[in-house]
Amino acid sequence: MKQEKAPAWVRRVMNATKPAEKGKYFFDWKEAERRVKFIEGVCRYPEGKKAGQLIELEQWQKEQIIYPAFGWKRKGSGLRRYRTIFVFIPRKNAKTTLIACVGLSILFQDNEHGAQMYCLGSVKDQSAIIYRIMKSMINNSPVLSSRMKLKADQFDYGGADSFVKVLANSPGKHGLNAHALFVDELNEFLLPKHLEALEAIETSMISRSQPITFVMTTAGHDTTSRCFEDYLYAKDVASGRIKDDQFLPLVYEAGKDADWTDPKA
């Protein structure tokens, strides 16, 4: 049987995100496409002029975020390469909608039984934004809604004994066994209780085979914050100064000499 030819984007994505330890990973482009097909075939815009219409991902969202995040796998096990996706991005780029799409893909396509998935913000209202968008997408899809049991701050996927839950500040130190964590606006995690909540969930992931933390944040002003620390780390990974094949750094910002009046910047 003739092998199907890979699309042109595959080489671009592989070259842009090639691992330092090349022998440990392989790129499954069909899995990457499967994730995009789910998002664009099931998820719908929750609000605005396109409310109710199917999501249409932009090419940069596919090639820089979705394809690498889900296409790269570990040889032998076939488990996901990346454990952290860090997206530092300006406002008005529909980042929370994208997190919601990714969350639903992980819930329905990871085949992880008993997956505990958490939406985390500095306050519960912030955490609930991701959850609310995911809930809207579920309600607007007969395929998804028929499989879900929706509650005020949690919805359960009975087929895999999994759930997505809203958390903020104090998730507690016991009973967590997170498979996925979605963080919105890391730049607002400025108090000790914010970091305690974040670290409690991150620590709970240790027993999972392919946990994933998906962070999308705009810029903040505190250079002593966890966000700024992760931002510097992401830039070092992107530049090659630090080798971390399990961290996908995506920093979208204007250059130091950019003209702020130029729309392209």
Side-chain angles (χ1 to χ4, degrees):
M1 183 180 293
K2 188 176 180 180
Q3 190 172 10
E4 188 176 352
K5 185 178 180 181
W9 61 261
V10 174
R11 183 173 295 277
R12 293 195 299 268
V13 171
M14 291 182 67
N15 287 338
T17 56
K18 55 187 176 185
E21 296 185 77
K22 298 178 182 178
K24 291 180 63 175
Y25 306 97
F26 70 98
F27 192 77
D28 183 349
W29 66 266
K30 289 187 177 181
E31 173 64 18
E33 278 199 336
R34 190 172 77 95
R35 300 292 177 145
V36 167
K37 286 179 180 177
F38 172 89
I39 292 172
E40 295 189 324
V42 175
C43 300
R44 296 178 181 273
Y45 291 101
E47 55 195 11
K49 294 180 179 179
K50 294 185 178 181
Q53 297 179 31
L54 288 171
I55 294 286
E56 293 182 23
L57 294 171
E58 296 185 33
Q59 195 62 25
W60 69 269
Q61 293 174 317
K62 296 177 187 179
E63 293 197 16
Q64 297 177 31
I65 301 176
I66 307 299
Y67 287 154
F70 295 103
W72 281 109
K73 295 181 179 180
R74 289 176 249 172
K75 288 183 177 179
S77 67
L79 297 173
R80 227 182 341 259
R81 165 189 167 183
Y82 287 114
R83 296 200 169 206
T84 301
I85 315 298
F86 180 84
V87 185
F88 185 89
I89 193 167
R91 298 184 187 279
K92 301 300 180 182
N93 276 285
K95 62 181 179 57
T96 310
T97 298
L98 183 59
I99 293 179
C101 291
V102 169
L104 290 176
S105 171
I106 292 171
L107 179 64
F108 286 99
Q109 295 186 289
D110 265 17
N111 298 317
E112 180 79 11
H113 188 80
Q116 297 181 16
M117 300 169 55
Y118 298 100
C119 303
L120 185 66
S122 59
V123 295
K124 197 161 187 176
D125 285 349
Q126 185 68 45
S127 307
I129 295 174
I130 305 172
Y131 177 85
R132 189 178 69 246
I133 293 175
M134 292 175 76
K135 187 176 179 180
S136 172
M137 291 178 177
I138 290 170
N139 283 329
N140 285 321
S141 169
V143 174
L144 300 184
S145 60
S146 65
R147 304 180 184 185
M148 304 299 298
K149 183 177 180 180
L150 303 178
K151 303 177 184 177
D153 59 359
Q154 176 176 323
F155 50 78
D156 301 319
Y157 178 28
D161 195 24
S162 302
F163 64 78
V164 176
K165 187 173 183 177
V166 177
L167 287 179
N169 298 337
S170 56
K173 297 181 179 180
H174 305 288
L176 295 178
N177 184 18
H179 172 64
L181 171 61
F182 310 105
V183 180
D184 194 13
E185 294 297 8
L186 183 61
N187 69 80
E188 296 178 3
F189 285 59
L190 301 175
L191 301 178
K193 63 181 180 179
H194 299 153
L195 299 179
E196 288 171 9
L198 177 59
E199 290 166 5
I201 300 174
E202 289 176 328
T203 302
S204 79
M205 293 177 149
I206 193 169
S207 64
R208 291 287 185 175
S209 59
Q210 56 171 2
I212 186 167
T213 297
F214 200 100
V215 179
M216 291 196 81
T217 186
T218 54
H221 302 288
D222 190 338
T223 57
T224 65
S225 68
R226 165 68 185 268
C227 183
F228 190 71
E229 179 183 316
D230 286 4
Y231 159 78
L232 293 178
Y233 186 83
K235 294 196 74 170
D236 282 343
V237 174
S239 69
R241 285 189 292 271
I242 291 178
K243 306 295 183 185
D244 187 344
D245 283 338
Q246 298 183 74
F247 187 100
L248 178 59
L250 296 162
V251 177
Y252 302 99
E253 61 180 350
K256 291 182 179 180
D257 299 325
D259 180 1
W260 68 271
T261 62
D262 184 353
K264 293 182 180 180

